[in-house]
Each structure stands twice: as structure tokens, then as C-alpha cells.
Amino acid sequence: MHAQEVRRLAALHALGTLDTPADEAFDRLTALAAELFNTPVALVSLVDAERQWFKSRHGLEPSSTPREWSFCAHAIEMGTHAVMVVEDASIDPRFASNPLVTGHPDIRFYTGAVLTTRDGENIGTLCVIDSKPRARPSDAELARLELLARIVVDKFELVRTTRLAREKHRLLELAETTSGVGNWRYRLADGAVTWSDEVYRLHGVDRASFNPGYDDAVAFYHPDDQATVNEAIASAIATKAHSEFQLRIIRRDGEQRDVVAKAICELDDAGEVLAVFGIFQDITTQIRTLKAVQQSEKRYRLLADNMSDVITRMRLDGGSDYISPGIEQLLGYQPGEMTGRPAQAFVHVEDQAMIVQALSQMAKGTERLSLQHRAAHKDGHAVWVETGFQLVRDAEGKPVEIVAVIRDITDRKAMENALRAAQAEAEAAANVKAEFLANMSHELRTPLTAVLGFARLVEEQPELADTTRAYLGKVSNAGKALLSTVNDILDFSKLEAGQVEVKPQPISVGQLAMDTLDLFSAQTAEKGLSLTATGLDLLPGLVRADPDRLRQVLMNLIGNAVKFTEKGAISLEVSFDPQAQRLTFGVSDSGPGIPADRVDRLFQRFSQIDGGSTRRHGGTGLGLAICKGLVEAMGGEIAVESRLGEGARFWFWLPASALASRTADTTPVTTAGGLRGARVLLADDNPFNRELVCALLTPFGVEITEAADGLQAVELASRQPFDAILMDRRMPRLNGAGAARRIRDEDGLNAAIPIIAFSADPGQDDPPGLFDAVIAKPLTIDALVGGLAKALAWQGEGALDAAA
Amino acid sequence: MLPRDARKPRIFVAEDDRDVLDLILTRLTLAGYMTAHARDGHEALRGIAAARPAGIILDINMPNLDGFGVLERLSAAAPAGPKTPVMVLTARHAPDDVQRALSMGARDFLTKPFQDAQLLARVARLIRARPAPASGQPVLV
């Protein structure tokens, strides 16, 4: 589209009149034009892109026609304020075939004055039309039509200005409502007061029911503030300057609000005051917020000023801007003495470097740090404090200052020291206790050794009377009971000190279980209890476990069961889980059971079910605590399940690796007596051979220590006494003969004990005086047990018959 | 009672508790040993020098001079020469004492309370002579 046409259409649309309802002002103008020219039709026609639309039409029905039929479209091409005259359209080549000429309304005569806006755009015409040809009107008539056209344009402009003013007003109202700022005006001439809607709203009244006068307006103010309002207005008028006041009003609903009003004088051309106008704003919320902030700041200040912790604000270089008054209490300085000076000046000389480093770290962006250090009191002494530094950043995130909270931790330090001292004291006390127990052990065992030993001596006398033998048996049993109590106490103190040493070795669990049960057979027979073991035949021949510890736990549990069960049965079940390589033992009884609320305490020291039980059944109350300690030391767990009146079952498991599938019961029992308790060192590089020897000897109660080669055997023999050494001839690092030679020659603990060689080649010559015996491989039970028993009979030069 | 035999070796027992001392001496005598004894460390050192025993049973806890003191002086008296084998008597809960005594030259230990067979086996072990180089081929079992 042509640029000029674009501008023209923009101007037309800007008028905002297209398709608006009819307007009497325009209709009067068209009626006047028709009257002046004595035509049946007069129109105000606006030429749009596609059509001509009639803002006013006198004597014509359609409200618009297509633009290509339009006469006016031709007229507006003629220039600004032009007037186009067509005397007879039927003979005018431009219009002869125009449907408006050939058909209704049969136009013949047309005269249109162009409507030209102030900006020079031709937007349409004011035209008169007749269906009969007519002569050209006179120039005076045409000038009149042009004048009317100008009036039409003026009217358009007026309508548009009114509309714009109305829009602006609405916008203002919207702004007032949104911002809470209203406007007012007080005209001096007649004292009229006008309020904007917002001012009404702020006073809590509405325009319909309230019409403010000056006095009415002033009356809204708080009684104490009304004089101030009058003075402010009067002073504004007197000085012709503006004035501002912030006061309280009382709204119609009774609520007091804080408001601010600004007044400006409106002057006439002569400089006299016509009116005072201004804005009016409710600032209650802002005032409240401000007061809250002030209050909050006051509170924090109060807090900082009265807190025992010291708060200080420092610049990044460490100089302080603020120090709370608590500093006087802490370091003896007035806050004023310290502000501006570097923080490290008030730190103990040995801790200054730490503080300087901390501050430089903070300045580099570390968010927070906490340090314990000594501060320097004004009088010179050190004060232990804990300082928490916190970095403060500005809105852009740049570090601006450091806030530090300094807390006196003198008491805490003192408490820490006291605790440390108490701990040291407790440790010392524990040592004293351990020493006391060791001494007590000696003091108790020595007489017990005599009691038990002499009782044995007397028992060996053949000529004792039965009663004497019975009394002696009681002495002996009492002695043993006392010994076991002493052992309990010592075991427990050892467990507590973590000094229990677990020594796993190949053992026959079945044998151990049977031996342990045997110890109780007399007691259970006396009480008429049945005592049985199950699962023993399913156990592997040998497992690796500590026999002494295991026996101790079993004796405790079975002993308890026997002690507390008056009738019924006690059973021991043992099982081995080859998958998990663990042994599980259960000791069940038909005793009184344990109340549920006591079960948890059962394994604690000194706990029996009740004090009465201790008196009735005796015991130290340490047994189960010792069991728990021992089982845990062996890497297992112990637990109990019981119900009152339904007996109890104590069970525990411990890790144990199976060594052989042989069971112990195939071992011959000949000559076995001399082997119990014998300490034997077994040196063989082949683990299967060692396992076999263990399997064969352990059931006889032989304690075996294993060495994997000759060097290890020599090393072990130098450290602990053995009763015999079993030595394979062929071993890596140091062979059997070499190891035996060194053990003999080093004149150590085991220089004189029997050393027995294993050999696949027994015919081989050994140096004399090295081995006491040679056992041929492959090993047989008889050869091994017989050979060892013979060696341990201490035959040879200087030895005695131990069996004597 | 077995008859005394002058050829049986002599065992020296140093033990301060009179009852335990009597017990050990009785057991050893019954087994055919000759005995000598002392009830404190100093007395023991003098007695050992006079009696020339084949073996010594030495209690660790003794008045005046304890077992460690005795061990120390015995090894000082014969720094390189033949040593009389010593077995120490200890309370059960003193493994450190055992290690210390062994490192100071004791050959064996026995924990109180002990059983008769144990005492006699350990004493026999204590005084066992090393197999002599001339004693010929080992026994083939």
C-alpha cells in the first residue's frame, strides 16, 4: 500500500470513530447541509481501506458502500479541503456505470467537501447528493459546505480528545489505586474540595454519600493534628510554596492511619493563589515496618550489648568497627579502647599467627571458621575463648566485613582438664586394681595349693576311716569351689582389661564336651537329674578352637543349669555348620526359667536374677558375664531364651574351622595317660601332615604348637618350654636335623627335651645325640602315640620314673 | 614311704609359704628325690651354693629377694659355665612374669595351683640330661 494511504488510514483509525453509534451532533450537521443545498441526501462519509462508512447519513439507508463505488474516494484524491462537484453522474465517465448511479439511490448530482485533519490527512467527505442532475452550486455555497466540513473535523477531534482525557483519568485512577496515593484539590475562591477516588477510599468513605468541605476534610485528622493541617495549608498559601505534612487521620471506621500529604499552590496568570492541590498517601504500613525494623535493631543491639558472648564486627583487614560491651567482662577493655585496632593485638602471643591466618583465609572468601585460642586480658593473663568468624557479603556477593562471636570457654577448658585428670586417675585406679587382683591371686592360691595338695596326700593314705574320707572329700570340694571363685574374679578382671588371649588349636569338640559333662555326673546323679548330650556324633573330628576358653564357658553354663535345676533334665546339644564354619552349643534345663524383664541384665556383671538367688545358690554373679566376654573374645555370640517356669536355654556360637573328618573315638586308649597336658612342638611344612598329627594326638589332651618349617621351630623353641618336639626331617629353609641341632646347641629352654623325627627314610644315619627317636612315615596311631609316650616317660640318664 | 637313695638327684626348693613348701618337699621325697630348701631369696642363694642341686624350683614371690633377683644372681655367678636348671613357680594370672623369668634364664615354669603329676613331670623334664653324643643311634619306633 502507498505510504501516504497508510498514514491516511492511521489518522482515520486514530480518531476512533469508525463503527461507533450515531451521534446527534453529526446528524445535525448533515441535516443542515441537506437544508442548505436542498438535496434529499447528505452524508459524513469516511473512506476506509475497503469501504466508505457513514458516521452520519441524512436521507440514506445503507451505513456503508464498497469503496470502489464511492464518489468520496475520488474527492479525497483532490487534495486537502478540496470540494468535488459532479453535476450529472450518468454522463460522467467516472460514474456512469456506478451501481449507485445505475441503481438505487440513482445518484446524479454530488458535491463533497473533503474532511482534512489538522495533520493534513483526508479521511472522507461531507457530501450532498441528489437523484436529479443539477447545476454547479455557487462558490459561496461551496465555501459554506467546506466550512461545514471543517466543523465536522473539529467535532471528530473533540470527541477524540475527550476520549483520550477519559483514558488518562482512568489510568490515573488505576495508578492511585495501585500505589495508594490519591490527589486532592482545594479551590480558594469558593472553598470547594475535590478528592480523587483513592482519597475517598483512604478515608473510608464513598463519593455517593460524602461530599467533603474543607472543615470536613480537616475533621478527619487526629484532634492533636488538626491545627497542624490548618497551619500547613495556610503557610502554603501564604508562601505560595509547597508544604508537606505527615500526620494521623481517623478513618470513618475508626481506625487510625498514618498519612502523608503534599500541598502545592496553583497560581493564576497574575501570580495569585487559585487553589491548593497535592497528593495524599497512607503510609501506615511503611511506618509500622520501619518501627519494626527499629525495634528489631534495638533488640539485637540490646542482645549484643548484654550478652556474655562478645560480638565484634571487623573490616577485612581485621580492624574492628564494633565490639559489644561484653568485652569488658571478658578481657578488661572498654569497647572504645579496642575499636579500630587489629584483632590479633588482643590475642595471646602464641596464638596470634593462627588468628592472622584465619583472618586472611576469611578475607579470601572462607564463609566461616571456628577456632579455640587464648585471648590476652588487659592485665596480661590468658583467657581461653572460642571465636566463630562469619563472612558478610554485600548484595553483589563481595566480602565486606567479618562478624566474630567470641565466647569464654575457660570453664569448658577447666572441665576438659578435670576430665582428663579424672580419666588418668581412673586408669591409675584400674592399674592398682589389676595389681591388687594379681596379688590377691597369689595370696589366695598359695594357701589353696596347700589345702588341696595335703588333702590329696591324706586321701592317698590307705588306712582312713570312711567318715574321715568323707570329711576329707568335703574339704577338697570346698577348696575347689573356692579356687573356682577366685578364678572367676580374676578372669573377669582380665576380660575387663581386654587381656584375654585366645589360643585356637585343633581340638576334638566331642571329646571336650564329654569330658566336661563327666565333671557334673556325680552332682546330677545326686540330684536325680538326667544329663545328656546330642549331636556329638555329627561333629567333625577336629576343629580349630581354644579348648580352655570353650571348656570354661561350657562349665559355667552347665554348672548354672545344674545349680538351678531341682528336677528334670539338662541337655547339651552341639552342632557344626560346615558352610559358615561355626560351632553352636546349647545348654537347656528344666529349671525355674528367667523372667523376661531380667533377661537383658543376665549377662551383666554381678547380676543374678535376684539377690535372694545369690544367697540361695552362691556364686559370684560373674559367671555369665565371663561367658559373654569369653565367647565374644573368641569371635562369637551368646544369648538366652527362657520363660518363667519353663526352663532356660543358653546358646552360643563361635567360629571354628574343621580340620579332619575323622572322629576321635577310633583312637586307641593304650598308654594315653602320660600324654595329658604334654606341651608338644610340631614342625612340619605339610599342613595335611600337621592336621593328621593333631587329629591323632589332641584327643589325648596333648597341647600342640605348630611350626611350618625348621626356622620357625627353632624360633618357637627359644621362647617357650615344650615337653617334646616332633620334627619332620625334610622342611624348607631349615631341615629337621638342622633345626634339632640348633635347639640342642643353643642350650635354651628346650635343649634337653626329647626330639622325635618323622622320616620317610628311617634307615638314614643321623648324627648321634640329635634325635631321641625316629617315627617312620606314613604315620600310624600306635607309632605316634607310643613313641611320644615313651619319650615323655623321661627314660635315660638322670631321669626318674615319673610314674613312681 | 620310699626308701631314700643317695644316688637320686637333689632338688632345691625356694618357697616362702611354709605349707606349699612342705607340700612340694613331701611330693618330691615320696618320688625319691633328695631335697634342700630355703624360704627367701638370700637364703636360697646360700643354700644352692652349698647343696649343689640338680634342679631348682623357685617361687617368684618371696620376701627380701624375689625369684627374679635370685635368677639374676645365679646367672651373674656363672656367666658362661654350666647352669643349674631352674623352674619358676608363678600365680596363674601372670604371663608376663613367666616371660620375664624365661628371658632371665629359667628353663620352665609351673603355675600354682598345680597337680602332683604335673609337678613331678616338670621336675623330671627339668633335670633331664641332653642326649649324649655317645649314646648311639636313636631308637626307631
Side-chain angles (χ1 to χ4, degrees), chain A residues 315-338:
Chain A
R315 298 184 302 271
L316 295 180
D317 63 11
S320 64
D321 286 339
Y322 167 79
I323 297 179
S324 67
I327 194 69
E328 192 185 352
Q329 178 85 16
L330 185 70
L331 297 184
Y333 291 96
Q334 295 294 328
E337 295 178 85
M338 299 180 76

Side-chain angles (χ1 to χ4, degrees), chain A residues 8-20:
Chain A
R8 194 191 69 79
L9 286 173
L12 172 62
H13 292 139
L15 284 179
T17 189
L18 283 174
D19 299 313
T20 53

Side-chain angles (χ1 to χ4, degrees), chain A residues 413-435:
Chain A
K413 280 282 166 191
M415 205 183 295
E416 279 173 17
N417 288 335
L419 270 177
R420 259 196 292 276
Q423 192 184 358
E425 205 172 303
E427 277 163 10
N431 285 339
V432 169
K433 184 175 117 187
E435 204 171 314

Side-chain angles (χ1 to χ4, degrees), chain A residues 692-765:
Chain A
L692 176 63
V693 173
C694 288
L696 295 173
L697 293 180
T698 310
F700 294 101
V702 175
E703 294 171 12
I704 298 177
T705 302
E706 296 178 45
D709 61 46
L711 271 186
Q712 201 187 350
V714 171
E715 204 263 328
L716 282 167
S718 73
R719 280 195 286 134
Q720 62 192 91
F722 294 102
D723 295 316
I725 298 174
L726 296 171
M727 185 88 79
D728 190 34
R729 269 221 179 91
R730 297 166 65 92
M731 285 187 293
R733 300 214 292 171
L734 185 61
N735 67 19
R741 172 55 56 212
R742 278 175 56 177
I743 290 169
R744 294 274 188 239
D745 287 355
E746 280 175 10
D747 196 23
L749 300 172
N750 298 297
I753 67 159
I755 304 179
I756 300 169
F758 294 143
S759 178
D761 178 17
Q764 190 184 335
D765 282 353

Side-chain angles (χ1 to χ4, degrees), chain A residues 47 126-127 172 201 238 291 320 339 360 541 568 579 597-598 635 645 652 679 712 737 765 770:
Chain A
V47 181
L126 169 65
C127 59
L172 182 66
R201 205 183 61 74
K291 276 186 178 154
S320 64
T339 42
S360 98
Q579 212 74 46
D597 59 331
R598 301 301 176 91
F652 64 96
R679 301 164 294 180
Q712 201 187 350
D765 282 353
L770 196 57

Side-chain angles (χ1 to χ4, degrees), chain A residues 442-479:
Chain A
H442 181 76
E443 297 304 327
L444 288 172
R445 280 157 193 282
T446 301
L448 274 173
T449 302
V451 169
L452 293 173
F454 281 112
R456 279 285 304 274
L457 274 173
V458 179
E459 276 171 343
E460 286 167 18
Q461 306 298 316
E463 68 276 16
L464 292 183
D466 284 351
T467 46
T468 311
R469 202 171 287 287
Y471 294 157
L472 204 53
K474 290 182 196 296
V475 170
S476 202
N477 283 337

Side-chain angles (χ1 to χ4, degrees), chain B residues 12-30:
Chain B
F12 193 94
V13 184
E15 164 66 63
D16 61 321
D17 186 280
R18 175 170 285 285
D19 295 337
V20 174
L21 177 64
D22 281 353
L23 183 66
I24 295 171
L25 292 177
T26 309
R27 275 291 162 203
L28 290 176
T29 307
L30 284 173

Side-chain angles (χ1 to χ4, degrees), chain A residues 69 71 157 188 284 301 332 520 531 551 681 708 744 804:
Chain A
W69 300 353
F71 284 61
E157 296 280 359
L188 297 187
T284 309
R301 191 74 178 210
F520 295 95
L531 178 63
R551 190 182 299 113
L681 174 62
R744 294 274 188 239

